[in-house]
Amino acid sequence: MRIGVLCSGGDAPGMNPCLRAIVRAGVKFGDEIVGICHGYRGLLEEEFWQGKGRGAEPDPIPLISAREVSGLTNRGGSFLNSSRCLEFQTEEGRLKAVAVLKKRHFDALITIGGNGTLSGAHELGQYWDGQIIGIPGTIDNDLRGTDYTIGFGTAVQTGIDAVDKLRDTAGSHDMMFLVEVMGRHCGDLAAFVALAGGCELVATPETVTDIPKLVESLKLFKERGKRSIIMVVAEGDEFGGANKIMAALKEAGAPFEMRTVVLGHLMRGGTPAPFDRIFATQLGCHAIDVLHEGKTDVMVGLVHGSLAESPLEEVVHSKECKAGSEEALMSLAARTSKLIDRLSV
Ligand code: F6P
C-alpha cells in the first residue's frame, strides 16, 4: 500500500514520534511511506521528502525508510515541516490534490494536525476514493473524539514551567501575573496549566469572565494574606485575552500590581514529554492497523483510555462552545476550573 503522510497546521510536540511510528509500522507491513513536506501545500506542489527509499514501478517516488526516522522520538517541531494552506481550502485546491494523489498512485493518506487539518482530510475524502486517516496533533486539545491530542501534555508542562518561574517573582514583589496560554477555542490548556501550577484563577472560553467577581475574589485573597496571584488566561477567552482582562481589572480596582506574560508560540516547541511520545507512537501504529482493516474517513484517538476511531465528520467540529452554555459547563476546561475555584481560599 502506498501511504502519504503529512503534518499540517500548527506544529505540536509529538508529531515526530508519530511519524516514526507510522513509517516503521508501515514498513513492517510492506507499505511504501511517502513523506509529504509542508502539509497540504506540499501535496499540491508534489514536495515529497527525499528519502533513500524508492517506490515501486511505474512510479519510483522517494520513500522514507525505517532508518531515516531514527532519533525522532525526542524531536520537537515537525520533521516534515508544516503549513496552513489557503489554496487547499478551495474546491479547486482539493481537486488539484486529488489529481496529485491519483497521478502518484497513492492508496492512502494520513494527516496529522488539528481541526483545520482534519476538516481538510474529511473534505478531500468527498473527492477521492483512497483511504484517509486523521491523527489528532495539536497543543489545543480542542478535538472531539479523543480524550487528548498529541502535544497537549508537553504544552501543559511548558506552561507549568513558566508559571513556576513567575511565581518566584510574584512572591518576591507581592504581584499578580496574568499568564496567557494558547487555545483559540478551548480552555483545556489554560485549565490544566492553572491546576497543575497551583494558580489562583483561570479564564477560559468555556467559563464566563466576570470582572467584578474577580475583583471581589482578589480583595478577599488580599484580606486573607495572599501576597502573590497567578491567573492563567486562554488566548480564546471570550473577554479577549490577558491584556484586556488586566486593563479591565485595573479599571475595576483590583488590589494587586499586575503584569501580563503571553506565552504564545513558545508553547508549541520543545522536546515531547513522555506521554506525548507514547501516545503519538500508539496512534501512529494504530493508524497503520486501521488502514489495513480497510477503514477510511476516521480519526484515531483515545476514548475513555482506549484506542478508538471516530468518523472525521464528527470530530471536525472543534470543542468550541459558548461560555457558560450547558455544553461548556460539561467541558474538561470548566470541570478543571471548578477544582481551581474550590482551592481558592
Ligand atoms: O492550533 C494551534 C495553535 O497553536 C493555537 O493555539 C493558536 O491560536 C494558533 O495555533 C496560532 O496559529 P499561528 O501559528 O498560525 O499564528
Side-chain angles (χ1 to χ4, degrees):
M1 190 183 277
R2 177 168 292 177
I3 304 169
V5 52
L6 60 80
C7 295
S8 170
D11 60 327
M15 281 178 161
N16 290 333
C18 187
L19 171 69
R20 172 180 176 269
I22 290 167
V23 171
R24 294 208 169 154
V27 164
K28 219 165 199 169
F29 257 114
D31 295 327
E32 295 186 342
I33 310 291
V34 180
I36 300 165
C37 302
H38 291 107
Y40 291 116
R41 191 180 88 204
L43 176 60
L44 297 181
E45 292 172 3
E46 298 185 53
E47 190 195 344
F48 304 125
W49 199 78
Q50 295 297 313
K52 289 199 179 107
R54 279 289 167 275
E57 293 292 349
D59 184 15
I61 195 170
L63 305 179
I64 313 188
S65 68
R67 293 287 70 76
E68 286 166 308
V69 288
S70 288
L72 287 194
T73 39
N74 59 354
R75 231 164 105 173
S78 169
F79 177 78
L80 291 176
N81 299 112
S82 188
S83 72
R84 299 193 194 275
C85 177
L86 293 179
E87 189 184 353
F88 184 73
Q89 289 171 23
T90 64
E91 186 176 33
E92 208 188 346
R94 284 176 184 139
L95 289 171
K96 193 168 159 190
V98 170
V100 173
L101 289 163
K102 284 186 175 160
K103 182 179 91 178
R104 306 312 302 254
H105 303 94
F106 281 97
D107 301 296
L109 182 68
I110 299 178
T111 65
I112 311 170
N115 198 40
T117 305
L118 302 186
S119 313
H122 174 63
E123 286 298 322
L124 191 62
Q126 313 307 304
Y127 304 89
W128 183 49
D129 57 5
Q131 289 170 261
I132 301 180
I133 306 294
I135 300 187
T138 164
I139 64 164
D140 288 8
N141 205 37
D142 60 348
L143 292 167
R144 296 174 193 273
T146 187
D147 300 345
Y148 296 106
T149 54
I150 294 172
F152 175 67
T154 309
V156 170
Q157 184 62 56
T158 301
I160 294 169
D161 291 345
V163 160
D164 287 349
K165 289 194 167 80
L166 289 167
R167 183 68 83 181
D168 290 345
T169 302
S172 304
H173 290 264
D174 296 356
M175 282 173 66
M176 169 168 172
F177 277 99
L178 292 95
V179 183
E180 185 176 300
V181 300
M182 277 192 164
R184 252 182 307 200
H185 306 299
C186 179
D188 290 5
L189 196 47
F192 269 44
V193 169
L195 183 63
C199 301
E200 287 70 26
L201 298 166
V202 62
T204 72
E206 292 84 353
T207 52
V208 177
T209 301
D210 180 336
I211 300 294
K213 209 167 142 196
L214 281 171
V215 173
E216 262 331 289
S217 307
L218 289 171
K219 285 182 177 161
L220 271 177
F221 283 145
K222 191 121 207 174
E223 272 171 42
R224 291 174 185 154
K226 248 194 180 304
R227 292 175 32 238
S228 81
I229 305 285
I230 297 195
M231 176 175 190
V232 182
V233 179
E235 65 172 329
D237 175 70
E238 87 290 354
F239 201 87
N243 285 313
K244 280 200 178 155
I245 295 179
M246 181 171 81
L249 288 175
K250 257 189 196 161
E251 173 95 22
F256 284 90
E257 187 186 340
M258 291 178 281
R259 296 281 189 281
T260 57
V261 174
V262 177
L263 295 182
H265 289 78
L266 187 80
M267 303 208 77
R268 295 219 301 241
T271 300
F275 175 78
D276 280 324
R277 298 185 196 197
I278 295 164
F279 182 42
T281 302
Q282 288 173 321
L283 291 189
C285 290
H286 194 56
I288 292 291
D289 289 342
V290 160
L291 278 180
H292 284 276
E293 286 164 15
K295 294 183 181 156
T296 187
D297 203 19
V298 291
M299 181 190 80
V300 291
L302 197 69
V303 178
H304 304 311
S306 300
L307 290 174
E309 305 93 53
S310 311
L312 278 175
E313 192 174 13
E314 286 171 19
V315 305
V316 295
H317 306 289
S318 73
K319 293 197 286 192
E320 184 178 1
C321 39
K322 197 176 174 312
S325 67
E326 209 169 305
E327 193 185 5
L329 291 173
M330 302 279 292
S331 68
L332 182 61
R335 286 182 281 126
T336 311
S337 303
K338 260 196 192 145
L339 275 181
I340 296 160
D341 217 33
R342 282 185 64 183
L343 304 176
S344 294
V345 286

